[in-house]
Amino acid sequence: MSFQAPKGTFDWLPPRSERVLAVREALVAPLRRAGYGYIETPVFEDTQLFARGVGESTDIVSKEMYTFPDKAGRSLTLRPEGTASVVRAVLQHNLHNGQLPVKLWYSGSQFRYERSQKGRYRHFWQVGAEALGSEDPALDAELIVLAAHGFATVGLKGVRLLINSLGDKTCRPAYRAALQEFLRGLDLDEDTRARIDINPLRVLDDKRPEVRAQLDGAPLVVDHLCAACNAYHEEVRSLLSASGVAFEDDPRLVRGLDYYTRTTFEFVHDGLGSQSAVGGGGRYDGLSEMLGGPPLPSVGWALGVDRTFLAMEAEGLLDESTESRLQVYGVPLGDDARRRMFLLISELREAGVSADMAFGGKGLKGAMKGADRSGAAYALILGERDLAAEAVQVKDLTTAEQTEVPLAQVVDVLKGKVQ
Ligand code: HAM
């Protein structure tokens, strides 16, 4: 019997796995330069944290959570996203009583029991950033600019930014009522009708053509913003324009999580098919209070690393074969040579040269094949005659040129060659 990775999950294998590490790093680099500190929270949390934080009416909470009782009967859930956990950690450790905003970034696995397809997985990776405790349009703009820089750093050209405002507790209730009234007049199935009461904004996000066709005249939140929300949104837009970050107003942009207020945005890539969002986020001024904390106006985003990678593939950014990290490959011939090679390879590694050797007692032919496949620049061939002469053959694998070097000098010689 053989096992397969669970449905909706996959393995990252070399050399792609090395590339994805670099992509995560590149997405994070702009955050580090902007004063965001690294936070790591547990992969599982109290189920109620997500139920309350993300919202009972969302697909994430109602259908997609990996929830299980632990042995003491606590209900735990594998995190479907990072924001609720970050707010929980900030409140728990009183970070909000220090300098504001608290700026944090994270990078890690998220889990959602979604219908899996290309770009939509049950286990996926996000890089995220949250700035907590400030109501300032410059902070919303900063985060959006940093995400745009991240995508630019990995070379993506086809990322589009969509933005919207969802209003706040002053103007949202009236908009919600207007939307509900409009939606009640439509021809919708029972599930969708139920949604009108719980979360009418989500109906705007319905992808089915028969629903979409009826939504044309739906009231838009931008037309119902109060003066404060309007001014805030205009300021975010003008800071983005001044920063040279292109965006498109999308008055129908709604997000799949309930905590958003005011600014919301999504980064989409057209090379990805239906799962086009490579990142998204927004302001969540009420989340802290929803979790029992004090008012803590905040904003943040998460970028989907797997989808960013797919977008890079779609743009042909990953085509060139990856360079090997190995510089030297040892080819020992015989047991004594193998013992000596083992030590020599260690010495090279300690000296900062990346090195590997043939294992499993291969003969010269097999071991040389290994050297070629490894991508190393040099092979070190050590036979019995070499050992007796306290020397080793250094073969340049590009030119096939071979020179004999005393064992006592070979580390220095190779260091000189590869650095
Ligand atoms: P989200 O839009 O649910 O937001 O996820 C952010 C990104 O994660 C998406 O744009 C997408 O690239 C990626 N993603 C989501 N689900 C999947 C999946 N099943 N498979 C692959 N990639 C996926 C959040 O999670 C919020 N916490 C963002 C945020 C932070 N808002 C404020 N602060």
Side-chain angles (χ1 to χ4, degrees), residues 13-33:
L13 304 173
R16 289 173 99 244
S17 52
E18 298 286 340
R19 299 296 293 264
V20 83
L21 277 182
V23 170
R24 289 178 199 161
E25 279 296 308
L27 295 176
V28 161
L31 297 168
R32 287 213 172 101
R33 286 194 296 268

Side-chain angles (χ1 to χ4, degrees), residues 184 265 272 275 372 419:
R184 288 199 183 106
F265 52 88
L272 290 184
Q275 302 308 310
D372 281 332
Q419 277 164 9

Side-chain angles (χ1 to χ4, degrees), residues 219-266:
L220 297 175
V221 64
V222 280
D223 299 327
H224 289 74
L225 294 181
C226 60
C229 283
N230 214 6
Y232 195 96
H233 194 51
E234 282 313 309
E235 183 63 12
V236 175
R237 294 175 74 257
S238 105
L239 286 168
L240 290 177
S241 300
S243 310
V245 171
F247 61 87
E248 297 163 36
D249 291 306
D250 182 353
R252 286 168 190 274
L253 177 69
V254 285
R255 307 258 305 123
L257 305 96
D258 273 356
Y259 47 62
Y260 292 111
T261 49
R262 292 194 167 174
T263 317
T264 48
F265 52 88
E266 223 154 68

Side-chain angles (χ1 to χ4, degrees), residues 81 83 112 114 119 121 126 130 255 259-260 277-279 300-301 304:
E81 62 107 45
T83 312
R112 297 182 192 175
E114 298 207 63
Y121 309 109
Q126 285 182 343
E130 316 286 351
R255 307 258 305 123
Y259 47 62
Y260 292 111
V278 287
W301 49 242

Side-chain angles (χ1 to χ4, degrees), residues 32-56:
R32 287 213 172 101
R33 286 194 296 268
Y36 287 73
Y38 176 61
I39 181 168
E40 206 169 293
T41 61
V43 164
F44 54 83
E45 298 264 8
D46 187 324
T47 300
Q48 280 308 308
L49 174 70
F50 300 118
R52 275 209 259 159
V54 175
E56 300 271 12

Side-chain angles (χ1 to χ4, degrees), residues 50-51 54-67 77 80 111-115 120 122 189 191-192 195 202 206 208 256:
F50 300 118
V54 175
E56 300 271 12
S57 72
T58 59
D59 283 354
I60 295 180
V61 171
S62 63
K63 301 185 197 154
E64 297 172 358
M65 294 212 296
Y66 280 92
T67 297
T77 293
F111 307 85
R112 297 182 192 175
Y113 190 78
E114 298 207 63
R115 260 191 312 123
R120 186 163 68 193
R122 294 183 174 172
D189 60 280
D191 277 359
T192 316
R195 214 174 232 190
R202 294 292 302 156
D206 205 305
R208 290 170 298 177

